[in-house]
Amino acid sequence: MDHFLYRDGRLHAEDVPLEAIAAEVGTPFYCYSAATLLRHYRLFDEALSGMPHLVCFAVKSNSNQAILRLLGQAGAGMDVVSGGEYARARAAGVSGDRIVFSGVGKTRGEMRTALEGGIRQFNVESEPEMRALSEVAVSLGVTAPIAVRVNPDVDAKTHAKIATGKSENKFGIPISRAKEVYALAASLPGLEVVGIDVHIGSQLTDLEPFRLAYRKVAALTEELRAAGHDIRRLDLGGGLGIPYTRSNAAPPLPLDYGAMVQEEVGHLGCEVEIEPGRLISGNAGVLVSEVIYVKEGEDRTFLILDAAMNDLVRPSMYDAHHDIVPLAEPAPASEQARYDVVGPVCETGDTFARGRDLAPCAPGDLVAFRSAGAYGAVMASEYNTRPLIPEVLVQGSDWAVIRRRPSFEEIIARDAVPAWLDGDA
Ligand code: LLP
């Protein structure tokens, strides 16, 4: 459920008509609903209420300061994967003891930053990384809390580019070698083993792959405890999928996920951490865009929007589907027109949808891409020197720009022309 609904024939974000925001901010822009973000966070929090737990929002899905502050104030922890994301979480006011640091290639500099600033745990993905972390911790005279990310060799049954739990993927250490890697961890100075970490992929629409992975983690917990390791936390990763279209069967709900977690690992008495991103932020955001032209091709009609692949790359990158809806509600059973929906970028890949049936559109009409709150703004680029688009947060009838559109001058001023090129072109 989200809070983007038609009221009086106009698509609203909570109590605000999106057209009103478009009139002030200009298009394209991202708009997020605070009520939806909080609702999704709380669904997870409640789903795990039978166990000690921390819901760590995957910052990579949406890293705007306002969103992190909103979720942090509601009690969320954060899952970060870079020094930059760590800095964002801290700047948003989240204390280090609620931040887990994931990622396959943490640098020594990033480790140092997190150890100095405070960190709940590093999810370590390899032996070389473990040795590096040990050295950095010793050099700072501190102890680094760690979980080892295990790769359970489970097929997440999702898009190949976002599956992470198979042995051929770069993530984690093979679960079959976990015992020796934990023995190494125990032998290295500056490290304290606190748990086990697993994450098998993103946009999972079935609980079974999770169940298989968590069952393996539960068995490993008992094995490692028997070997003398104090496994007191299980980080079960993120990955629960969202409905991208209203016509498909809906994926399992956080409540079902929580019940499955309780069944598989509840008996171990561990504190459970999860790292959801998409399910919290995905359906809490839309991308609003204006139709520039309707162009008749030989055998199709192109709807040319002012948003492009640089603003929302998911369709180009993963062939992802996003529902596209007009801001003005079409009459019930109104006629449909078939469009290839494209952006202005000079690549055929800049295509949002092929053969999509929509209410007929005219230049100047506004449309919204639904489910764009996760992996939308964060994956945007300035390709074709198209400025990063504004982000807006709505809460009830209040709204605010939470990232403004930069000017061309600001973008150009980031480049530096060396002195030997002085003079006009
Ligand atoms: N934890 C780890 C270690 C991850 O790698 C990820 C996502 C998450 C948590 C959060 O997963 P979520 O709950 O959001 O599914 N750009 C792609 C998705 C990449 C996901 C990468 N890792 C997309 O647009 O579909």
Side-chain angles (χ1 to χ4, degrees), residues 19 27 288-294 303-306 325-328 339 359-368:
E19 282 172 359
T27 55
V288 176
S289 179
E290 182 174 320
V291 176
I292 309 178
Y293 298 115
V294 180
L303 197 62
I304 304 179
L305 304 181
D306 64 357
V325 295
L327 260 49
Y339 297 110
C361 290
D365 287 356
L366 299 177
V367 296

Side-chain angles (χ1 to χ4, degrees), residues 58 60 79 162 199 202 239 275-278 314 318 375 379:
K60 65 168 78 67
D79 165 47
I162 53 175
H199 170 79
S202 192
E275 303 170 349
R278 192 189 313 264
R314 302 193 68 258
Y318 313 112
Y375 308 110
M379 294 181 79

Side-chain angles (χ1 to χ4, degrees), residues 3 5 40 72 128 143 181 209 217 232 251 256 293 311 371 374 389 417:
H3 290 75
L5 299 170
H40 291 162
T143 300
V181 176
V217 167
R232 51 188 189 271
D256 309 322
Y293 298 115
D311 304 309
S371 313
I389 65 178
V417 178

